[in-house]
Amino acid sequence: MKHGKKYQDSAKLIQQNNYEPDEAIALALQTAKAKFDETVEVSVRLGVDPRHADQQVRGTVVLPNGTGKTVRVLVFAKGDNARIAEENGADYVGAEELIAKIQNENWFEFDVCVATPDMMGLVGRIGRVLGPKGLMPNPKSGTVTPDVAKAIADIKAGKVEYRVDKTAIVHVPFGKVSFGAEKLSENFRVLMDAILKAKPTAAKGTYVRSVVVSTTMGPGVKINPTRFVGGPVAAK
């Protein structure tokens, strides 16, 4: 793959294979050359086999400084729960009419779906549509819940979901370049703590194999993975 001059200039700033977390984040910010506010992401390669159910790594965490992204929340609910969702800032609230809109109009003007448990029978009708887009409500991610007010508040505050993919890598955005190094480092520590605490008991050997931070348009900056061998405390 050929990269442009800005990318090549940014890549020259990376002088070693592994950095400490704060150093890597600061360096990633230096590589951000785009005219827009780039997202900062971490990619963590884990020593798990995602083919086995007992080695799945999945969860959510609320980042202390948010994500920098305005998240549009759709809530499937009826009655009092629908009213509560509206009062607590949901962007879209409804039931059958929203399901029909998604089915018939291919409408996806939202980023996260929340559903009360009694609505999952209806929502299941569009599972094949929502699932591939990562929008299907799920109890493990806190998006199937009777407490829609808390779900909306957490999402708006900066809750992110982390989930290992089929290549055993977790990709998670944890802020914007405009946050600055201090806020990004704080988000990073909280996120890594969550991933470390989610280590499956069935996972053997080294859990964190590699950690790379990057901006939307910039090169990856590697973090020393041994920094996380000792568990959550080592991420600080």
Side-chain angles (χ1 to χ4, degrees):
M1 181 183 295
K2 292 185 178 180
H3 294 287
K5 185 176 184 301
K6 288 183 178 179
Y7 182 97
Q8 292 177 18
D9 289 343
S10 293
K12 291 176 183 177
L13 297 172
I14 303 170
Q15 300 293 321
Q16 60 192 64
N17 288 330
N18 288 308
Y19 290 87
E20 289 299 299
D22 289 350
E23 293 175 332
I25 290 170
L27 184 54
L29 294 182
Q30 291 181 47
T31 70
K33 306 293 186 181
K35 294 181 180 179
F36 62 91
D37 192 9
E38 296 181 55
T39 295
V40 185
E41 180 182 275
V42 63
S43 299
V44 186
R45 185 165 64 88
L46 300 175
V48 299
D49 187 343
R51 294 174 298 177
H52 299 294
D54 61 355
Q55 294 190 46
Q56 292 295 312
V57 177
R58 181 178 185 177
T60 60
V61 61
V62 178
L63 301 179
N65 299 299
T67 63
K69 179 181 177 181
T70 300
V71 182
R72 301 164 298 178
V73 181
L74 180 153
V75 178
F76 292 111
K78 291 183 177 181
D80 287 342
N81 285 323
R83 174 183 55 79
I84 292 169
E86 291 173 348
E87 291 174 351
N88 283 273
D91 298 275
Y92 306 100
V93 182
E96 288 89 349
E97 71 279 11
L98 286 181
I99 290 171
K101 187 177 179 68
I102 293 169
Q103 281 182 318
N104 301 330
E105 301 177 26
N106 199 34
W107 176 74
F108 291 100
E109 298 300 317
F110 50 91
D111 303 297
V112 180
C113 284
V114 174
T116 53
D118 60 297
M119 290 297 299
M120 287 308 293
L122 285 173
V123 178
R125 298 176 186 174
I126 53 173
R128 291 183 179 180
V129 178
L130 296 178
K133 294 181 178 293
L135 294 171
M136 187 66 181
N138 188 295
K140 291 183 179 179
S141 63
T143 49
V144 176
T145 174
D147 192 349
V148 293
K150 183 180 186 304
I152 296 166
D154 286 348
I155 293 166
K156 295 285 188 178
K159 184 172 79 170
V160 294
E161 181 177 7
Y162 56 88
R163 183 177 186 179
V164 69
D165 65 17
K166 63 182 180 181
T167 64
I169 298 176
V170 175
H171 301 278
V172 190
F174 63 98
K176 295 284 188 178
V177 167
S178 60
F179 282 19
E182 185 176 345
K183 288 184 176 180
L184 285 169
S185 291
E186 187 177 2
N187 278 359
F188 175 83
R189 289 194 294 270
V190 170
L191 174 59
M192 286 302 299
D193 275 2
I195 294 173
L196 291 167
K197 289 175 182 176
K199 179 182 178 180
T201 55
K204 306 299 180 183
T206 303
Y207 179 52
V208 177
R209 300 291 177 85
S210 68
V211 182
V212 180
V213 294
S214 62
T215 59
T216 304
M217 304 298 290
V221 183
K222 295 180 180 179
I223 293 174
N224 184 0
T226 62
R227 191 73 171 81
F228 307 100
V229 170
V233 175
K236 295 185 172 69

